[in-house]
Every structure is written in structure tokens, then in C-alpha cells.
Amino acid sequence: MIITCPRCFSANDVLPPRKLPDHLLQYRCENEGAHGIHEWLTTVGAVKGPGEVREGVTDDLLTPLGTCVIQGEPFVEYGIVEHRLRKGFPALFAGHVAEQGHSMFGPRTYTASSVRFALALGRLERMGELVSKYGPATGAWRHNGQVTYWARPGTPAGQRLTWAEYCARLGRPPEWTDEDRRGLSAP
């Protein structure tokens, strides 16, 4: 099972968990380039439910997320990818948010963004369909400090489009809105 960091959306620097009392797990990400040391707690059940294989939970996200990163575009901030997923596949997006939650409903670890969507994007990267790099988090995502930016292989590394710039093009605020929350539910 792959666990991604809720700050940098990467699994590369996440250490195996330390088991604590009361079925708690303490994870630690040591991604110095993105955010330094970051630790978080979760329950065993949140990481793996009964009989659930975590990567299997993201199978339905692979093709839709793949369409959210467009050939010929610069590296796009994670929020753009998620926004496109929500607009293009609203029922799929809402289903994952209903099961796993989302930071637009308040601070929480292991949301659909930090676990399921990030895991699926990582799978697409390992399959050679996408590439990622770290960059500044903007707008509603700025609490992360840095986030991943996504592109198709061959995209020049110096080109990027932030969530805040994308929102300006759309004429919408870069923060969460009531429209963003409409039709979604937090678990």
C-alpha cells in the first residue's frame, strides 16, 4: 500500500508508520525540498478498511485524471487538475469526496485530494503518462506551501500555470467558494 504525504502529495519520502496506542499510526515525510519534515497521525482503519486494497480504490480515477492534464500545456498546479476532474466527472468526484472528505470543508488529513487523487496521479506518473515537479501552492491550496504540478512527458520544466492564474483566466476567485462546496458532502 502506498501512502502519500498530505502536504506534498508524494509517497517518495514517506517513512513507514510508527504504531501508537489506540490503533493510531504516525507517518513522517522527509521531503526537504518541498516542505521539510512533516508528521501526521491517522487510524489504521482510515489507511486500510476491511478487505480494501487502496490502489484498487483509485482504478476509476486513472482515465478521468489522465484527461485533466493536457498535451501542450505547461506544468499545471494540482488544483487545476482537480478542478478539471470535478467539472468533467462530477459524480465521480463527488463520490470520492463523500467517502474520503476534502480540505474545502476544513482541515483534515487523508482527504480525497491527498490520498485518492494523489495516488492515482502517482500511478499515472509511474506508468509514464504524466510527469510532476514541485512548485508554489496558490489560492485555496497555499496552506500546503508547495504542491505538485503535472504535465505530459516532454513539457519544458520551466513552464507552469498556477491555480491562482488559472482562476483569474476563468474569472473565479482562487479560494473555495459556496459553488465549489455545492453538491458535495463531507463524511
Side-chain angles (χ1 to χ4, degrees), residues 100-111 143 176 181 186:
Q100 196 73 39
H102 197 283
S103 60
M104 73 175 75
F105 295 109
R108 181 179 170 190
T109 56
Y110 292 108
T111 64
H143 66 276
W176 302 124
R181 293 178 189 90

Side-chain angles (χ1 to χ4, degrees), residues 58 61-62 65 115-125 130:
T58 64
L61 291 167
L62 295 177
L65 278 169
V115 177
R116 294 181 179 185
F117 304 154
L119 180 60
L121 286 166
R123 289 176 68 189
L124 289 168
E125 185 171 34
L130 300 178

Side-chain angles (χ1 to χ4, degrees), residues 5-24:
C5 173
R7 277 227 176 127
C8 66
F9 301 115
S10 173
N12 296 339
D13 300 298
V14 176
L15 301 178
R18 192 173 121 213
K19 293 182 180 180
L20 301 174
D22 297 327
H23 303 285
L24 289 175

Side-chain angles (χ1 to χ4, degrees), residues 1 44-57 116:
M1 173 175 37
V44 173
V47 175
K48 186 171 183 174
E52 182 178 351
V53 177
R54 194 49 77 180
E55 283 209 354
V57 172
R116 294 181 179 185

Side-chain angles (χ1 to χ4, degrees), residues 80 162-175:
I80 297 169
T162 69
W163 167 245
E165 293 166 338
Y166 183 74
C167 288
R169 290 180 183 180
L170 295 178
R172 63 156 283 152
E175 303 302 328

